[in-house]
Amino acid sequence: MPTELAHQIIDDLRVWDVLKLLCYDNDRVEDCIMSHPICRSMFGADPETLAKWKYAAQLYQDIFRAVGKGFLRDHWRGTNYLATNIHCVAPQKYGETYILNYMKYRIHDELNIHWCKIDLTRFGAPDYSNGIEDKNLKTFHSFEELKECWHDIQKAKANLFQLRASELRWTADMLEANPDILKRTLDPAQEVRPNTAHIVSRLRHGADAIMRASAEKFVFSEHFCYDFLGIIPFDSALDLLLHMMQKHGLIAGDQVVASNTIGLTDGISHPSSIINSVGIIIDGMPRFYISPPETAEQRANPAWRPTANKNGDLLRTANTPWSEPFGENERVSLEGPYFTAFKFGDNKGYWRPKSFQWDPHNQMEKAWLVSFVEVYRYLKSYDG
């Protein structure tokens, strides 16, 4: 194609269209762009300056193609420089100062969305936050830094996906083996279901879907809406376990004995593995277990519990999108021991209270559940 004809075509292009041509890394195309008067003023007349624009354009294209978003914003209050015809932009004024900064800011905003969804430093990413108080992504001064951050985020998310999928498969195995003790955390029912095969199948299907998903995107499924483990014992299992632990001297009165030296009232020793598991249960109880109010003052002011919200509301596993809120559901009672899995939420997500002191997908939560099942099975068979 003659250069003059190429210049006529470039005259009708938007700024982003020209930058996208640079991404093809074609010498003839680059010569036509560098010889175009406006493009030469905007992108530079030397290969080194043009290479900087190519790097920025390639990164911009790769990121927004990966996340499935448009290269150009449909609605933008300010001047949308990338969507402007090159004849409508003053090259010397808007070239590097405005267009590159616009691309940089938009990449930063996209990375910040991924960064703020979950603490990715727990999955291998460096701490790119602004600071202790501000968890937003810090400002980067170059496209090279943005690219490095993007790759670190993707690696951390891939680790998270792997962990989440393995956690779902583990959850399915546990529920399949112990349907008489465990239930789905957000299942409002407190009775053993006659058939849990479809629940187990759904968990495994979710794990497979996560592993098939692109690491560039978050999988917006129910398994990423909750930051706690997907299964929990029945309240009745908690009631029975507490009764058996008290019977055999593992707890005293209504309070869990938080000690590594446990005296046995029946004079019979138990395996060290069981004693160790009891210790794990004891350590984890404050993060799950709510005992009924013991005094009139506590009954009047339930905010003393670490699992209550700032208003003192005690939410439990019956408070789900499929059941009425606490206080309106007559089936929910404060009598007897029960579990709580979250404090607040909406129809898209639930979050564990900070007072639980466990991060999402913490391995200690799985260890606690394994210990619960182990001690429950042991004491029940011990009693015959």
Side-chain angles (χ1 to χ4, degrees), residues 292-293 316 333-338:
R316 55 187 298 184
S333 172
L334 283 176
E335 296 181 359
Y338 61 86

Side-chain angles (χ1 to χ4, degrees), residues 12 81 95 161 220 229 290 344 348 375 380:
D12 294 328
Y81 300 106
F161 280 26
F220 291 102
L229 204 59
I290 289 184
F344 59 92
K348 295 183 179 179
V375 175
K380 197 168 184 182

Side-chain angles (χ1 to χ4, degrees), residues 137-358:
L137 198 65
K138 69 178 183 180
T139 300
F140 296 97
H141 301 290
S142 69
F143 287 96
E144 287 78 8
E145 291 176 321
L146 285 168
K147 184 175 183 179
E148 182 179 2
C149 176
W150 170 248
H151 287 166
D152 288 337
I153 287 176
Q154 300 318 305
K155 288 188 289 186
K157 284 167 60 180
N159 293 337
L160 168 61
F161 280 26
Q162 181 69 45
L163 183 147
R164 195 66 182 104
S166 63
E167 184 179 277
L168 283 174
R169 295 190 181 102
W170 180 88
T171 299
D173 294 341
M174 285 291 291
L175 182 60
E176 188 174 44
N178 304 281
D180 57 325
I181 303 176
L182 306 176
K183 72 180 191 71
R184 285 196 67 208
T185 303
L186 292 182
D187 187 349
Q190 283 294 336
E191 64 271 358
V192 177
R193 294 190 178 275
N195 180 16
T196 58
H198 67 288
I199 301 176
V200 171
S201 176
R202 184 177 177 183
L203 290 169
R204 289 171 177 156
H205 176 77
D208 294 339
I210 289 173
M211 292 309 298
R212 289 195 303 268
S214 170
E216 284 83 359
K217 302 178 183 179
F218 273 103
V219 180
F220 291 102
S221 71
E222 62 177 308
H223 306 301
F224 282 97
C225 290
Y226 315 126
D227 64 7
F228 44 78
L229 204 59
I231 54 175
I232 201 170
F234 288 103
D235 291 348
S236 58
L238 169 65
D239 195 15
L240 181 57
L241 179 64
L242 292 176
H243 173 76
M244 292 188 295
M245 290 174 68
Q246 185 172 3
K247 176 182 177 182
H248 296 289
L250 302 180
I251 62 174
D254 291 334
Q255 301 297 318
V256 177
V257 179
S259 172
N260 293 327
T261 58
I262 302 173
L264 302 174
T265 58
D266 54 13
I268 301 176
S269 62
H270 297 285
S272 59
S273 60
I274 295 298
I275 300 299
N276 292 335
S277 295
V278 169
I280 294 176
I281 295 173
I282 290 171
D283 292 339
M285 276 296 189
R287 298 168 172 85
F288 286 109
Y289 165 62
I290 289 184
S291 62
E294 285 78 22
T295 67
E297 181 181 358
Q298 291 171 347
R299 286 192 291 270
N301 182 23
W304 65 276
R305 293 184 183 81
T307 50
N309 65 15
K310 63 181 180 179
N311 298 322
D313 298 326
L314 296 175
L315 300 184
R316 55 187 298 184
T317 56
N319 296 97
T320 73
W322 303 277
S323 63
E324 297 297 325
F326 179 78
E328 299 179 12
N329 188 348
E330 296 180 357
R331 295 176 300 167
V332 179
S333 172
L334 283 176
E335 296 181 359
Y338 61 86
F339 286 104
T340 182
F342 50 83
K343 180 174 64 173
F344 59 92
D346 52 30
N347 62 342
K348 295 183 179 179
Y350 285 85
W351 297 271
R352 173 181 286 120
K354 291 183 179 179
S355 58
F356 281 177
Q357 301 171 356
W358 275 352

Side-chain angles (χ1 to χ4, degrees), residues 4 84 123 125 249 365:
E4 293 77 9
T84 304
F123 306 100
E365 190 171 0

